[in-house]
Amino acid sequence: MKFNQTIGWGLAVGLLGSSALAAIGWSRLDEYKSGVIWPEPPMVTPGGSSDSALRLPPADAIVLFDGTNLDAWVGGDRWEIKDGYAITRQTDIFTKQGFGDCQLHIEFATPEKIEGEGQGRGNSGVYFMDQYEVQVLDSWNNPTYFDGQAGSVYKQSPPIVNASREPGQWQEYDIVFTAPRFREDGSLKSPAYLTVFHNGVLVQNHFELTGKTLWDAAPFYASHPEKMPIKLQFHGNETRFRNIWVRENVHNMVGTAPQ
Ligand code: MG
């Protein structure tokens, strides 16, 4: 649809030759900015060290990557596996299994050698249901928009604090995701929520998402299945991942009232 819209605008611009209209037309491809002015998340040095980041999967976890292969992922054969970690290559990858509400553990390391700046440093992302991104980025002395730095819900919520380790160090996210619910008519019944710990430090506290996280459009919800793949983003940077697991037993028990 966007492609057709763009062509349509392009034709209109060509016919009318109006630079004002051109500005309006091409703005459809521009970056979306919320306009919210956020304070800068303060730096908080996490405890432990890069080597202590490894948190082994509990017995009821579904292991998505144990360092040996990416068989649980569509596109996983395109990424490189080396020394127990995976390196982003060529394409986004998607879990073959769909997930809704879940707890996810994932470890990542941005390139040790600093190249690029802002969104171009160690960019990747953990997308729940292929649409709700927790940003992965090298946010060590690397200014960018706050709602796009590591630990942000992309373009919606900056991390409460910046708990990043230095480039090349192993870091971890522990994430609790609540999937949105939709009514039969496709309208939103309840929104998605994200709670995120970055290197053991709380950076998102039951944040209510306003929709899918996009670069070029404001967030919005579009009805989708109850379970969908988790996606890891390829953004042109060599970001590494290891020790990825997920749990689906995340709902509080419902008891009976005392008699
Ligand atoms: Mg990203």
Side-chain angles (χ1 to χ4, degrees), residues 142-206:
N142 180 30
T144 185
Y145 42 95
F146 303 133
D147 53 7
Q149 69 181 63
S152 66
V153 177
Y154 187 67
K155 298 236 181 205
Q156 292 190 36
S157 176
I160 299 168
V161 296
N162 182 351
S164 296
R165 296 192 195 279
E166 293 181 31
Q169 302 272 298
W170 282 102
Q171 310 193 53
E172 59 185 349
Y173 282 157
D174 288 282
I175 304 174
V176 180
F177 173 70
T178 302
R181 267 68 171 170
F182 298 92
R183 298 186 188 90
E184 275 192 12
D185 67 2
S187 62
L188 182 70
K189 185 174 173 192
S190 60
Y193 295 92
L194 277 164
T195 293
V196 181
F197 291 85
H198 184 188
N199 299 323
V201 180
L202 183 69
V203 295
Q204 300 288 342
N205 185 357
H206 197 58

Side-chain angles (χ1 to χ4, degrees), residues 119 123-125 127 133 135-136 154 233 235:
Q119 294 291 306
N123 196 333
S124 181
Y127 285 73
E133 183 186 15
Q135 175 72 303
V136 171
Y154 187 67
Q233 184 185 38
H235 200 280

Side-chain angles (χ1 to χ4, degrees), residues 100-145:
D101 301 347
C102 64
Q103 169 191 352
L104 180 83
H105 176 85
I106 187 164
E107 300 176 14
F108 66 93
T110 59
E112 189 167 2
K113 185 178 174 212
I114 294 175
E115 286 180 316
E117 59 182 25
Q119 294 291 306
R121 259 176 62 176
N123 196 333
S124 181
V126 181
Y127 285 73
F128 292 87
M129 312 192 92
D130 185 27
Q131 27 203 329
Y132 310 107
E133 183 186 15
V134 175
Q135 175 72 303
V136 171
L137 195 74
D138 174 5
S139 284
W140 179 267
N141 294 332
N142 180 30
T144 185
Y145 42 95

